[in-house]
Amino acid sequence: MHIPDNYLSPQTCTFFFAATIPIVGLALKKVKLQVAEKKETVPMLGISASLSFLMMMFNVPIPGGTTAHAVGATLLAILIGPYAASLSVTLALVTQAFLFGDGGILALGANVFNMAVVMPFVGYGIYRLFQKWHHEKLGVILGAYLGINAAALMAGIELGLQPLIAHDAAGQPLYAPYPLHIAIPAMLFAHLLIAGWVEAGFTVAVYQFIKKVAPNELYAAPQKLTAVTPTKKLHRALYTFIVGLIILSPIGLLASGTAWGEWDASELLQQLKTAHLSQVLPTGMAHGLNFNALFSDYAIQGLPLPLGYMLSALTAVLIFYLIGKLVINHYATHA
């Protein structure tokens, strides 16, 4: 679901940056108020960003030779609220794009909109609806499943619109070459069939653990829960879980194939040739941005790929931890 650079036209990228920046700005204001009421929100932002980042490293195979992954945005929204979840997933996506080359720099606005805006707010809205109907667990499952599929639908629409809005005088696409009737089913197939259920399973498992260990930590916990929440115990458990995910992260390498719509230039060109659609890349893609991330594809030069994968995961988690520490120190200084 990470749209690479050169798949979206400059106009599309500009539109989604313009649409996303005010939402992220609003989330910052909302979370600032949330932190003022509950200081524990700050470390949870770093923990949440780590969870989302690591979940996205675990690719799962999809019939047809592609892959997909969970995101965790609905889980985070249930845990720390939709605005805080939006910031956490945004932080994870920015780190992925700039440090690991996962998702485009110019396409970052669209990726944030899909995975850090649409997904947590749709998923959380469904969860809250079912919570009010006294079917909270069902709301967790459906929220996670439908949230990630709403994000996938948006990505399919964005990619599928490109041949309509960005083409040359001869009608040839300049960017993503597949129209809506191909892009939308392809994106939804992977997520309705596999990734959505992985997302739902992971979400409900972590939710049930938190519900048992620290129910007051849930963002929309009923007011009748007045017992003191074992916050430190929950943090230790989540950090232990994160360490486990880091160690297991190379499992994500076992799924072969590139996610639909995330091919590099050579892979896409081969697909176009095989389908007898074109012998050359779309012009805009061939002459677009070529950003070289420091640890592209989570690989570290000179190290075996599994070890590089683990160290990349550890690096990201440390970044999120340090950001959390800086924010905590800022609030302590200005308290």
Side-chain angles (χ1 to χ4, degrees), residues 3 8-23 106-114 118 154-155 157-159 161-162:
I3 299 175
L8 303 179
S9 68
Q11 296 90 334
T12 305
C13 294
T14 301
F15 172 82
F16 279 102
F17 269 114
T20 301
I21 288 173
I23 299 174
L106 299 179
L108 186 57
N111 287 327
V112 169
F113 185 84
N114 299 339
V118 171
M154 280 302 307
I157 292 172
E158 291 154 14
L159 292 168
L161 282 175
Q162 298 311 302

Side-chain angles (χ1 to χ4, degrees), residues 2 48-50 52-53 56 87-97 320:
H2 290 71
S48 297
S50 298
S52 181
F53 184 97
M56 288 189 272
L87 287 186
S88 292
V89 179
T90 296
L91 180 57
L93 292 171
V94 169
T95 304
Q96 286 176 324
F320 302 144

